[in-house]
């Protein structure tokens, strides 16, 4: 087993001391196994506090990151000890250059890959030194390199765009197939790995080892680069682009805009010329003319030389088929000038080459660096030839998961003449994984893998980057579903998009509301509607630390015609697509629990447990109800973080869910059982509810959460307390009363809020009746399956089979009976009693029942044991010895009546001591049933 790396306290201390020369405070942030932030001042005491944070507990095994720009003095985020946002930074103090090696994102870099990154880093540093930048803080992150260039303090609004452009410039200048400049690190609240902490992506192997990040060099004196120098680094960006060389004579200059020279490396394409001209008012249009598949924009003045005595004109042409811009001016001084000259003289930024389906239209090859694009696909050009490497393909969007910090690509590609779209992990762009495209119908030409990867790596730099979230439910003040929902005034990091497609809005709220009013109101279906919103409340309660309670497990059971599945459609349709959200249990227990790990406030729905009739679901239901998976170890005997979630589980079956559980009272009383209720009015009404829930999915949630986020939390908390007390007053006393009152109060509160937010009038009396009935059902189930009930039946079983003790004539003896004036002692062979318990009480653990007997004083045993050694036929035999007290002047059966008067009355009647025929029938025990 590889020894686990830990953070180096001395290096961490040195890194924080270096930063203290430039900024007064930083935020330290651990990202896994859960996000943990620590704000420190970079004083001597604060640095030691930071070192302790990084090197203590589990954190010492993980990567820890730090901010490096100036934090606003009165930041509320700092006061609340939360992760900083860009708005919390008021000034840049560093230009960060992050050099990433091209290694699989799921693992560490090899030494060779790291060396390639270092080459790029050294080239960038030499270039920036020549440009006048001071010495950076140079460090190895473990899989790449960081350069922090100290700059004079510059307001974020001034510096942000400049720094972003500098990174784009460096990327184009220095990135290659093996390593490159990361351009997404320009935001002011960016964090980087603290030198001295562990870089531990994936599994540590000989080729791809985990490493401890370290400082390579840093400036001994504080020297700040003036921001004016940073601004000049990007000045030559357009001038670095060589303009196309076009040999044009005066006689033919007017046709230069139609050139089809495919060797031109730098052409300009736009999609909407009118918008482009509106964004560049310096180009004054004299008139516009359409002809020969292009649009001619005649200009009032030449944008290159500013002359205007040119009646034949200075003009910009836009090709309709390709979107290409070209420039032509007949003035002698403009001979050979191109559209790039227009951009340079007018100070117009070159439009980004955003790849889309349009770039693959037509036979004209559009240049894209060393590649060209046309309707046939992607071409590659080398010194000898141009050849096709694959059909049309491009990365449409890069998805950065804000919760897992992983990256995925949404890729669009053409197969069999049709555009298709799929999501792939970032590791696809690797020679070992690129073949994964083939199983999705995309094929490329033999030996073109490296070219295809190079093309996609280049193209992804200009793809849309979208933050996505992977949890559903609450994360502090924000509720995530199809998008992020927050209280008014709370600023989101960005407009997150869910990675889940199942939570999708269709139809309208008006249509959904009409369906509810016509088919749900006035029926028991109202209860199912209220249940739909309970996980939102429970997740909110837990996020606010108002209440800690079990996750509700709601069991819909009964005949197939009662409308159970319709209720699941009704509940699922509140959030998204019912046909996607209603699941089966056709997966392993561990897989199912792991699938809930990202759920913090949305119901999970399972349909028809009939196929599970031979399976004990106790472990699964226990984990769901507690909101936590079981602890497990990985292959290295390390503890795997357990899944944590907050949900409401909705389960339908013909038999009550308790039939699938063991006899644990604590487990069985976690179930809100709704048995044999006719949920819908008619079969037609049932179909209407299913159809309306599917066609208007997600509408009810959006309205509910919008009103909920604006509501007063204290009002909701107080109302919950009142509802719970009201239920407790009206519920029979029982051990499960408090736990169950929390569950039903949560459902009833959901009904009250639903009525307010959704403008519905529900039948409160009916809801109360259904909820109290579920409590009565739970009490009956708890009583029927209690240890007391099992004890009573076991004692009766032994009494009824007294003839099997001693020297039994036709069967092997069960043990011995010792009788006295006050009690009867049944010493039963261990294997026989265990067999009896398993046969007659299959849902009860024999050991649990024996412990219960011991606590009741019925099981007589030796110290620290459940057994007692008894002399049987001259041998000491370990037995289970049950002591049954008896009273004088009572018939032989009376010990049971004395111990368990209620059960005794049910079993034997009140007067004659004879068993009642219709209560308990003891099955005859065959010889084959007992084995010693």
């Amino acid at each position: 087993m590889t020894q686990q790396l830990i953070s180096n306290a001395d290096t961490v201390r040195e890194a924080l001391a270096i930063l203290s020369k430039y900024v007064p405070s930083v935020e330290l942030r651990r990202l896994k196994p859960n996000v943990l932030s620590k704000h420190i001042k970079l004083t001597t005491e604060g640095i030691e506090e930071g070192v302790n944070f990084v090197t203590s507990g589990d954190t010492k095994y993980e990567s820890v990151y730090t901010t490096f720009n100036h934090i606003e003095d009165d930041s509320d985020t700092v006061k609340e000890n939360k992760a900083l946002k860009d708005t919390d930074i008021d000034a840049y103090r560093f230009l960060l250059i992050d050099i990433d090696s091209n290694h699989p994102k799921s693992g560490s870099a090899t030494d060779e890959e790291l060396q390639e990154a270092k080459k790029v880093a050294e080239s960038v540093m030499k270039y920036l030194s020549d440009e006048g930048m001071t010495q950076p803080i140079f460090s190895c992150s473990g899989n790449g390199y960081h350069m922090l260039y100290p700059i004079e303090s510059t307001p974020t609004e001034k510096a942000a765009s400049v720094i972003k452009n500098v990174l784009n410039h460096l990327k184009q200048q220095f990135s290659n197939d093996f390593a490159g400049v990361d351009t997404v690190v320009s935001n002011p609240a960016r964090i980087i790995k603290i030198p001295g902490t562990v870089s531990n992506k994936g599994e540590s192997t000989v080729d791809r080892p985990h490493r401890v990040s370290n400082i390579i060099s840093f400036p001994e004196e504080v020297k700040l680069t003036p921001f004016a120098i940073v601004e000049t680094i990007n000045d030559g960006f357009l001038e670095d682009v060589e303009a196309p060389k076009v040999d044009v004579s005066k006689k033919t200059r007017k046709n230069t805009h139609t050139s089809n020279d495919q060797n031109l490396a730098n052409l300009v394409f736009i999609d909407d010329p009118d918008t482009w001209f509106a964004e560049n008012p310096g180009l004054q249009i004299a008139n516009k003319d359409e002809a020969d598949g292009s649009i001619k924009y005649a200009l009032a003045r030449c944008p290159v030389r500013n002359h205007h005595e040119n009646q034949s004109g200075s003009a910009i042409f836009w090709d309709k088929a390709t979107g290409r811009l070209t420039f032509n001016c007949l003035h002698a001084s403009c001979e050979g000038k191109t559209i790039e000259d227009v951009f340079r003289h007018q100070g117009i930024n070159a439009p980004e080459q955003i790849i889309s389906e349009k770039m693959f239209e037509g036979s004209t090859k559009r240049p894209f660096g060393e590649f060209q694009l046309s309707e046939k696909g992607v071409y590659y050009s080398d010194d000898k030839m141009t050849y096709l490497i694959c059909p049309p393909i491009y990365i449409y969007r890069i998805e950065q998961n804000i919760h897992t910090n992983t990256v995925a690509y949404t890729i669009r590609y053409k197969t069999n003449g049709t555009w298709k779209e799929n999501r792939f992990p970032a590791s696809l762009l690797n020679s070992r994984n690129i073949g994964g495209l083939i199983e999705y119908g995309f094929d490329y030409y033999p030996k073109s893998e490296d070219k295809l990867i190079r093309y996609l790596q280049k193209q992804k730099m200009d793809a849309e980057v979208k933050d996505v979230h992977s949890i559903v439910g609450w994360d502090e003040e924000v509720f995530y579903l199809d998008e992020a929902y927050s209280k008014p005034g709370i600023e989101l990091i960005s407009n997150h998009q869910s990675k889940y497609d199942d939570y999708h809005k269709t139809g309208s709220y008006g249509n959904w509301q009409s369906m509810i009013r016509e088919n749900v109101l006035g029926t028991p279906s109202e209860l199912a509607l209220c249940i739909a919103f309970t996980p939102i409340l429970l997740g909110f309660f837990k996020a606010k630390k108002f209440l800690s309670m079990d996750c509700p497990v709601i069991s819909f059971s009964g005949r197939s015609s009662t409308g159970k599945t319709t209720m699941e459609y009704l509940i699922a349709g509140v959030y998204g697509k019912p046909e996607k959200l209603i699941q089966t249990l056709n997966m392993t227990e561990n897989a199912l629990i792991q699938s809930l790990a990202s759920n913090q406030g949305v119901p999970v729905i399972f349909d028809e447990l009939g196929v599970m009739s031979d399976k004990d679901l106790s472990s699964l239901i226990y984990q769901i109800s507690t909101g936590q998976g079981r602890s497990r170890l990985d292959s290295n005997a390390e503890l795997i973080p357990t899944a944590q979630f907050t949900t409401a589980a909705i389960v339908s079956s013909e038999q009550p869910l308790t039939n699938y559980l063991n006899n644990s009272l604590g487990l069985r009383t976690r179930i809100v059982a709704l048995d044999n209720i006719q949920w819908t009015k008619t079969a037609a009404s049932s179909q209407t509810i299913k159809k309306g829930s599917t066609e208007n999915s997600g509408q009810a949630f959006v309205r509910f959460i919008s009103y909920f986020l604006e509501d007063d939390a204290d009002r909701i908390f107080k109302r919950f307390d009142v509802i719970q007390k009201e239920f407790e007053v009206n519920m029979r006393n029982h051990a499960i009363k408090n736990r169950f009152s929390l569950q039903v109060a949560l459902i009833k509160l959901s009904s009250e809020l639903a009525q307010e937010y959704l403008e519905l009038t529900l039948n409160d009396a009916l809801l109360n009746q259904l909820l109290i009935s579920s409590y009565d059902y739970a009490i009956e189930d708890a009583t029927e399956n209690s240890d007391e009930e099992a004890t009573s039946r076991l004692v009766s079983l032994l009494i009824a089979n007294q003839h099997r003790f001693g020297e039994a004539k036709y069967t092997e003896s069960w043990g011995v009976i010792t009788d006295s004036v006050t009690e009867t002692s049944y010493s039963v062979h261990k294997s026989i009693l265990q067999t009896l318990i398993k046969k007659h009480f299959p849902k009860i653990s024999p050991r649990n029942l024996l412990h219960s007997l011991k606590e009741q004083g019925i099981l007589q045993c030796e110290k620290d044991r459940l057994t007692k050694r008894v002399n049987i036929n001259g041998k000491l035999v370990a037995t289970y010895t049950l002591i049954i007290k008896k009273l004088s002047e009572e018939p032989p059966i009376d010990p049971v009546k004395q111990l368990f008067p209620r059960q005794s009355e049910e079993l034997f009647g009140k007067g004659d001591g004879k068993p009642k025929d219709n209560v308990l029938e003891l099955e005859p025990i065959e010889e084959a049933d007992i084995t010693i």
Side-chain angles (χ1 to χ4, degrees):
M1 183 185 301
T2 305
Q3 184 175 2
Q4 191 170 11
L5 298 177
I6 61 173
S7 297
N8 185 300
D10 291 337
T11 305
V12 173
R13 185 178 293 107
E14 182 182 24
L16 294 176
I18 294 170
L19 283 177
S20 72
K21 300 176 182 179
Y22 302 94
V23 290
S25 62
V26 293
E27 177 211 343
L28 307 181
R29 193 183 308 168
R30 183 190 75 183
L31 299 180
K32 60 180 185 177
N34 60 301
V35 177
L36 192 63
S37 291
K38 177 76 172 178
H39 292 267
I40 62 168
K41 294 188 179 298
L42 293 178
T43 60
T44 302
E45 296 79 10
I47 290 173
E48 288 306 311
E49 188 179 352
V51 172
N52 290 336
F53 172 77
V54 172
T55 59
S56 298
D58 292 340
T59 305
K60 65 176 174 287
Y61 302 116
E62 303 294 343
S63 300
V64 181
Y65 300 80
T66 182
T67 57
F68 48 86
N69 285 321
H70 192 275
I71 302 170
E72 191 176 45
D73 292 336
D74 296 325
S75 168
D76 290 336
T77 305
V78 175
K79 295 174 184 176
E80 297 169 5
N81 205 38
K82 295 181 179 178
L84 291 173
K85 304 186 292 293
D86 286 343
T87 52
D88 296 311
I89 304 298
D90 58 13
Y92 279 85
R93 295 307 313 274
F94 289 95
L95 165 65
L96 167 64
I97 312 295
D98 181 8
I99 308 297
D100 288 332
S101 60
N102 185 14
H103 68 281
K105 298 307 178 187
S106 59
S108 301
T110 63
D111 291 342
E112 293 76 13
E113 289 167 342
L114 195 58
Q115 185 61 32
E116 291 295 333
K118 190 173 185 180
K119 291 178 183 177
V120 173
E122 290 171 342
S123 298
V124 171
M125 285 194 291
K126 182 180 185 307
Y127 170 77
L128 292 178
S129 177
D130 293 343
E131 293 292 317
M133 296 290 290
T134 57
Q135 181 186 356
I137 303 168
F138 184 34
S139 63
C140 176
S141 67
N143 296 310
Y145 291 88
H146 293 151
M147 294 95 82
L148 277 175
Y149 282 90
I151 62 175
E152 65 180 359
S153 181
T154 308
T156 54
E157 59 270 18
K158 176 181 178 181
S161 60
V162 174
I163 287 178
K164 183 175 182 180
N165 288 336
V166 168
L167 296 181
N168 285 329
H169 172 51
L170 295 174
K171 177 196 74 174
Q172 184 153 336
Q173 290 283 83
F174 296 101
S175 294
N176 56 40
D177 292 345
F178 309 104
V181 178
D182 190 344
T183 60
V184 301
V185 299
S186 63
N187 63 301
R190 176 60 53 174
I191 54 177
I192 61 170
K193 192 173 299 168
I194 304 175
T197 63
V198 178
S199 180
N200 58 358
K201 287 187 177 180
E203 182 181 355
S204 183
T205 65
V206 174
D207 293 335
R208 299 187 179 278
H210 292 170
R211 301 179 178 91
V212 176
S213 54
N214 63 286
I215 302 170
I216 299 174
S217 62
F218 62 93
E220 295 293 339
E221 299 179 9
V222 175
K223 293 183 179 180
L224 305 179
T225 299
F227 193 71
I229 292 180
V230 180
E231 292 177 299
T232 62
I233 293 173
N234 200 39
D235 282 353
F237 188 29
L238 284 174
E239 294 174 5
D240 291 337
V241 179
E242 184 180 355
K245 301 297 188 294
V246 184
D247 183 14
V248 185
S249 66
K250 290 183 180 181
K251 191 173 182 179
T252 60
R253 269 202 302 269
K254 62 181 181 181
N255 295 320
T256 57
H257 69 276
T258 62
S259 171
N260 285 323
D261 184 356
Q262 295 302 317
N263 292 319
L264 301 181
N266 301 288
L267 304 181
V268 177
F269 299 87
I270 61 174
D271 291 330
D272 184 349
D274 291 334
T275 300
W276 183 78
F277 274 104
E279 292 171 348
N280 295 283
L283 301 173
Q284 300 176 25
I285 302 173
N287 57 69
K288 174 181 173 182
D289 184 36
E290 298 188 33
D292 301 327
S294 67
I295 301 178
K296 175 184 177 182
Y297 293 86
L299 304 177
R301 290 177 177 271
C302 173
V304 177
R305 297 295 185 187
N306 201 32
H307 46 253
H308 54 89
E309 302 99 2
N310 55 330
Q311 296 173 357
S312 297
S314 168
I316 291 177
F317 298 82
W318 182 71
D319 187 275
K320 292 181 179 180
T322 65
R324 179 185 173 189
L325 284 180
T326 53
F327 169 71
N328 185 39
C329 179
L330 296 180
H331 198 278
S333 62
C334 284
E335 182 174 353
K337 297 301 180 182
T338 67
I339 191 68
E340 283 76 14
D341 295 295
V342 175
F343 277 50
R344 188 177 296 111
H345 284 275
Q346 293 293 317
I348 300 172
N349 289 326
E352 296 180 4
Q353 289 195 31
I354 305 299
I355 306 297
S356 65
E357 281 91 336
K358 186 176 179 63
M359 296 284 280
F360 294 97
E361 293 177 0
S363 58
T364 301
K365 297 186 182 73
R366 294 184 172 207
F368 183 68
E370 60 200 304
F371 302 96
Q372 297 173 24
L373 313 177
S374 80
E375 60 187 0
K376 291 186 177 180
V378 181
Y379 293 80
Y380 175 74
S381 299
D382 57 21
D383 296 336
K384 299 179 181 179
M385 61 182 296
T386 297
Y387 53 93
L388 186 66
I389 62 173
C390 67
I393 185 173
Y394 69 101
I395 297 175
Y396 169 66
R397 181 171 57 237
I398 300 174
E399 298 176 357
Q400 298 181 148
N401 194 307
I402 65 167
H403 292 118
T404 64
N405 296 306
T406 56
V407 175
Y409 302 137
T410 297
I411 295 181
R412 291 182 175 175
Y413 54 93
K414 207 168 188 179
T415 177
N416 297 324
T418 304
W419 281 100
K420 295 187 177 180
E421 178 179 303
N422 271 298
R423 184 187 285 118
F424 298 89
S427 58
L428 176 77
L429 302 190
N430 179 288
S431 58
R432 292 190 298 273
N433 301 328
I434 193 69
L437 288 168
I438 296 175
E439 60 184 283
Y440 288 88
F442 182 82
D443 204 358
Y444 47 83
Y445 290 91
K447 299 182 180 180
S448 297
E449 292 93 339
D450 60 330
K451 306 295 189 304
L452 173 57
I453 293 171
R454 190 185 308 175
Y455 158 71
L456 291 173
Q457 289 280 17
K458 173 180 174 59
Q459 184 262 314
K460 77 174 184 180
M461 301 297 182
D462 299 314
E464 174 194 11
V465 178
K466 188 77 173 179
D467 284 339
V468 301
H469 60 266
S470 58
I471 74 166
V472 290
W474 292 102
D475 184 4
E476 296 184 351
E477 299 286 336
V478 182
F479 194 101
Y480 294 96
L481 200 67
D482 57 321
E483 56 185 83
Y485 299 85
S486 67
K487 286 179 176 290
I490 292 182
E491 181 180 355
L492 297 176
I493 299 174
S494 66
N495 183 23
H496 304 135
Q497 174 181 324
S498 173
K499 79 169 191 176
Y500 303 105
D501 297 326
D502 301 339
Y503 301 102
H504 180 64
K505 294 189 288 288
T506 58
S508 69
Y509 176 73
N511 289 341
W512 180 87
Q513 188 186 55
S514 297
M515 179 270 292
I516 295 296
R517 286 175 172 168
E518 294 170 9
N519 298 275
V520 172
L521 299 190
T523 73
S525 303
E526 290 183 6
L527 179 57
L529 177 61
C530 300
I531 288 169
F533 300 105
T534 55
I536 297 176
L537 302 187
L538 181 59
F540 182 74
F541 286 175
K542 289 190 175 181
K544 290 292 187 179
K545 297 181 172 56
F546 165 69
L547 177 69
S548 179
M549 60 177 283
D550 295 334
C551 296
V553 179
I554 316 295
S555 168
F556 290 90
S557 59
R559 305 182 313 276
S560 59
S561 58
T562 56
K564 306 185 303 294
T565 300
T566 301
M567 294 305 95
E568 292 186 322
Y569 265 75
L570 177 62
I571 294 169
V574 166
Y575 295 88
K577 304 174 184 176
E579 68 277 11
K580 297 289 188 181
L581 298 180
I582 298 174
Q583 310 174 52
T584 66
L585 285 174
N586 188 25
M587 65 178 82
T588 66
E589 178 182 304
N590 182 54
L592 192 149
I593 292 298
Q594 289 304 316
S595 73
L596 297 178
S598 58
N599 190 330
Q600 298 299 331
V602 176
V604 56
I605 306 171
F606 303 107
D607 189 33
E608 288 302 338
L609 296 185
V611 295
M612 314 294 293
S613 58
D614 60 342
K615 188 170 182 179
D616 185 349
L617 300 180
S618 301
S619 173
L620 173 63
I621 297 301
Y622 179 79
Q623 291 176 77
I624 291 177
S625 67
T626 57
Q628 179 171 307
R630 292 185 301 180
S631 298
R632 299 170 61 246
L633 299 178
D634 61 17
S635 57
N636 294 322
E638 300 288 343
L639 193 64
I640 300 173
T642 57
Q644 306 276 343
F645 46 88
T646 304
T647 185
I650 316 299
V651 182
S652 75
S653 56
E654 291 200 1
Q655 298 297 320
L657 177 59
T658 50
N659 285 12
Y660 299 85
L661 309 178
N662 64 33
N663 203 52
S664 167
L665 177 64
L667 177 59
R668 299 173 77 87
T669 55
R670 296 172 190 266
I671 312 299
V672 177
L674 303 170
D675 187 42
N676 278 321
I677 297 173
Q678 184 59 51
W679 294 99
T680 56
K681 300 174 183 177
T682 62
S685 178
S686 180
Q687 290 302 315
T688 301
I689 294 173
K690 285 184 177 181
K691 186 172 184 290
S693 298
T694 301
E695 294 180 351
N696 302 286
S697 62
Q699 296 294 338
F701 164 77
V702 173
R703 186 178 179 93
F704 187 95
I705 199 68
S706 299
Y707 279 90
F708 183 82
L709 288 166
E710 294 181 357
D711 209 335
D712 179 54
D714 288 336
R715 181 186 84 95
I716 293 173
F717 297 154
K718 290 175 183 176
R719 186 59 194 146
F720 177 84
D721 288 336
V722 170
I723 293 172
Q724 187 198 4
K725 288 180 174 61
E726 289 175 349
F727 269 108
E728 286 189 332
V729 168
N730 291 280
M731 295 167 77
R732 288 188 285 160
N733 285 328
H734 194 275
I736 69 171
K737 181 177 179 178
N738 180 262
R739 172 183 285 172
F740 212 89
S741 67
L742 293 173
Q743 308 270 30
V744 294
L746 190 69
I747 297 172
K748 187 62 189 302
L749 177 60
S750 298
S751 78
E752 292 191 1
L753 297 180
Q755 292 184 75
E756 289 182 35
Y757 302 161
L758 307 181
E759 296 181 356
L760 300 171
T761 302
L762 305 180
N763 188 331
D764 288 328
L766 175 61
L767 294 174
N768 290 341
Q769 177 187 340
L770 291 170
L771 292 172
I772 291 294
S773 295
S774 70
Y775 174 64
D776 291 340
Y777 182 95
I779 291 177
E780 292 170 9
D781 179 75
T783 302
E784 291 174 4
N785 294 279
S786 66
D787 288 339
E788 179 183 312
E789 184 73 18
T791 301
S792 174
R793 295 184 61 195
L794 179 60
V795 169
S796 300
L797 189 63
L798 294 177
I799 292 172
N801 287 275
Q802 292 186 38
H803 61 282
R804 299 182 184 273
F805 288 82
E807 296 182 5
K809 293 182 179 181
Y810 304 108
T811 61
E812 194 159 8
S813 174
W814 283 17
V816 296
I817 297 176
T818 305
D819 204 8
S820 71
V821 176
T822 59
E823 63 186 26
T824 303
S825 171
Y826 293 83
S827 297
V828 190
H829 288 294
K830 287 177 58 179
S831 58
I832 289 181
L833 190 64
Q834 288 176 351
T835 301
L836 290 174
I837 294 173
K838 290 177 182 178
K839 176 178 175 60
H840 293 276
F841 313 102
K843 294 182 179 179
I844 297 179
S845 163
R847 187 170 183 82
N848 289 346
L849 180 55
L850 290 167
H851 274 288
S852 176
L853 291 169
K854 181 179 179 180
E855 291 171 2
Q856 296 176 62
I858 297 174
L859 183 67
Q860 190 178 77
C861 48
E862 297 166 2
K863 186 178 179 181
D864 299 327
R865 295 176 180 271
L866 292 174
T867 59
K868 179 181 180 182
R869 286 172 291 181
V870 176
N871 190 321
I872 300 178
N873 297 328
K875 294 182 180 179
L876 283 178
V877 179
T879 67
Y880 294 120
T881 299
L882 281 69
I883 306 299
I884 311 300
K885 302 288 185 180
K886 59 184 179 180
L887 298 177
S888 58
E889 302 181 3
E890 290 289 344
I893 202 70
D894 281 351
V896 179
K897 185 176 291 186
Q898 175 204 357
L899 285 168
F900 309 104
R902 182 182 63 79
Q903 291 89 336
S904 174
E905 187 174 297
E906 292 175 355
L907 292 171
F908 300 104
K910 296 183 178 179
D912 56 8
K914 296 179 181 179
K916 293 167 66 176
D917 294 336
N918 61 342
V919 176
L920 176 66
E921 295 181 3
L922 297 175
E923 299 180 18
I925 299 177
E926 303 295 335
E927 182 78 20
D929 290 338
I930 304 300
T931 303
I932 299 179

